[in-house]
Amino acid sequence: MTQSGALPANRPGAVRVRVPAKINLRLSVGAPRPDGFHPLDTVYQAISLYDEISIEHADRLRLTLDGVGADILPTDGTNLAVRAAALLADRLGVAPNVAVHLHKRIPLAGGLAGGSADAAAVLVGCDALWGGGHDPAELAVLAADLGSDVPFLVIGGTAHGTGRGELVEPVPAVGPWHWVVAAADGGLSTPRVYRQLDALRATGAAPPPTLPALPDDDAAGPARDLAMPSLVPDRLLAALRSDDPAELAATLANDLQPASIALRPALRRTLDAGLAAGALAAMVSGSGPSCLCLAADAADAARIAAELTERGVCSAAHVAVGPVAGATVLT
């Protein structure tokens, strides 16, 4: 079921939440763990490309949506937003009787964690509606049951992620950093991109993982990941504390990029066009197919976005800044 129109204004018994997209400034991917997941070492940043969500009391749990992907996204229990409401209700011992309405702007299956963002927003919004009293750190722990990116999108800002990405720790960062998000036509399946990376590595077509392999006995689960050494370069941490976008540009990296390009060769044209337009760096966002361009300033970002659109190398070019807050209740 879908619904069109803007979100309603706040009113008694209703909560509105705004939640950002995420990008990965650096994404190191290890070999598959015994449970099938790949260990990650990443630096996340939340950027000002937002979905907005309205939540109010209802006679049952239901989801409606409009905006990007409204005609194809599920509204049943397979949607992370629905699962988030049910999970928090179970934790609080209340009935999950809320009507959730999503207004989507974050591109679908684009490497920007739009589904995870919506789940984070529902956790924050339902906690406010039901008076749960959880702080963001507590909700982030609960969010790990929903997906790897959900905990970060509860917290936002800039953060170091390990494990499957669900273990997050804030990282000091100035800003704003100016980004252009070049959205592609159609999405890419994240599991498919990871499988492609494994295949490329098996044939030597992609560099081997730099994360240490885990032992076969992985019974310790995420706790084992906490002991893994960080691969975040000191120069990246220093760049985030500086105000020099060129310094940050030199540190950006994504292990998944070769796999995404192998599955969608047209992404190379988008990246090349971004660099030709003057971007300080261009890379695939997460598992793709959205591409990121780092600009020197707001004026350069607007110009790069216009050139990408004019060249027809993306379906849309969004200008955004980071870091921004995670899922936030709007007053």
Side-chain angles (χ1 to χ4, degrees), residues 87-114:
L87 177 66
L88 183 62
D90 182 68
R91 171 63 62 92
L92 295 175
V94 300
N97 294 339
V98 288
V100 178
H101 181 74
L102 300 179
H103 178 57
K104 290 202 60 64
R105 299 186 184 95
I106 301 173
L108 302 184
L112 299 165

Side-chain angles (χ1 to χ4, degrees), residues 17 95 112-113 115 127 134 136 147 173 175 194 197 200 239 277 308 328:
V17 182
L112 299 165
D127 192 68
H134 293 93
Y194 276 91
L197 176 63
L200 291 176
L308 292 178
T328 302

Side-chain angles (χ1 to χ4, degrees), residues 1-327:
M1 177 179 179
T2 61
Q3 175 178 318
S4 60
L7 289 176
N10 267 358
R11 58 185 181 274
V15 171
R16 292 175 63 222
V17 182
R18 184 174 69 178
V19 64
K22 68 85 190 172
I23 60 175
N24 300 84
L25 305 183
R26 186 175 182 89
L27 178 55
S28 298
V29 180
R33 309 191 313 189
D35 62 6
F37 286 99
H38 293 71
L40 303 179
D41 194 287
T42 187
V43 175
Y44 293 112
Q45 187 164 97
I47 61 171
S48 60
L49 180 58
Y50 296 104
D51 282 354
E52 291 191 12
I53 296 179
S54 174
I55 307 170
E56 60 185 334
H57 296 292
D59 58 349
R60 60 184 175 85
L61 174 57
R62 61 181 183 271
L63 171 67
T64 58
L65 51 94
D66 69 82
V68 176
D71 56 338
I72 60 174
L73 282 173
T75 58
D76 60 13
T78 63
N79 191 296
L80 273 183
V82 175
R83 291 172 52 196
L87 177 66
L88 183 62
D90 182 68
R91 171 63 62 92
L92 295 175
V94 300
N97 294 339
V98 288
V100 178
H101 181 74
L102 300 179
H103 178 57
K104 290 202 60 64
R105 299 186 184 95
I106 301 173
L108 302 184
L112 299 165
S116 295
D118 298 336
V122 169
L123 284 178
V124 170
C126 284
D127 192 68
L129 187 68
W130 293 330
H134 293 93
D135 63 31
E138 292 170 325
L139 287 177
V141 172
L142 183 63
D145 289 342
L146 295 167
S148 300
D149 295 327
V150 185
F152 169 68
L153 287 160
V154 170
I155 296 171
T158 304
H160 178 213
T162 54
R164 292 180 285 111
E166 82 281 16
L167 305 170
V168 293
E169 181 178 354
V171 169
V174 298
W177 307 105
H178 297 275
W179 301 96
V180 176
V181 180
D185 286 318
L188 270 178
S189 161
T190 298
R192 187 182 178 201
V193 174
Y194 276 91
R195 289 193 298 269
Q196 181 68 27
L197 176 63
D198 293 338
L200 291 176
R201 284 175 168 173
T203 62
T210 53
L211 282 175
L214 292 176
D216 289 339
D217 177 15
D218 195 34
R224 185 187 302 279
D225 297 320
L226 287 170
M228 293 176 63
S230 170
L231 297 183
V232 180
D234 289 341
R235 62 177 185 153
L236 172 54
L237 299 177
L240 287 168
R241 293 191 296 268
S242 78
D243 59 358
D244 185 354
E247 187 176 340
L248 179 62
T251 70
L252 303 179
N254 180 5
D255 281 1
L256 291 178
Q257 181 164 301
S260 299
I261 292 175
L263 293 171
R264 192 74 66 84
L267 297 182
R268 174 53 63 191
R269 183 168 168 249
T270 306
L271 297 174
D272 289 345
L275 294 172
L280 299 175
M283 68 176 180
V284 173
S285 178
S287 58
S290 298
C291 292
L292 301 172
C293 295
L294 177 60
D297 53 34
D300 267 359
R303 181 183 52 76
I304 292 166
E307 289 195 27
L308 292 178
T309 301
E310 183 178 348
R311 295 186 187 195
V313 295
C314 58
S315 64
H318 307 277
V319 174
V321 298
V324 297

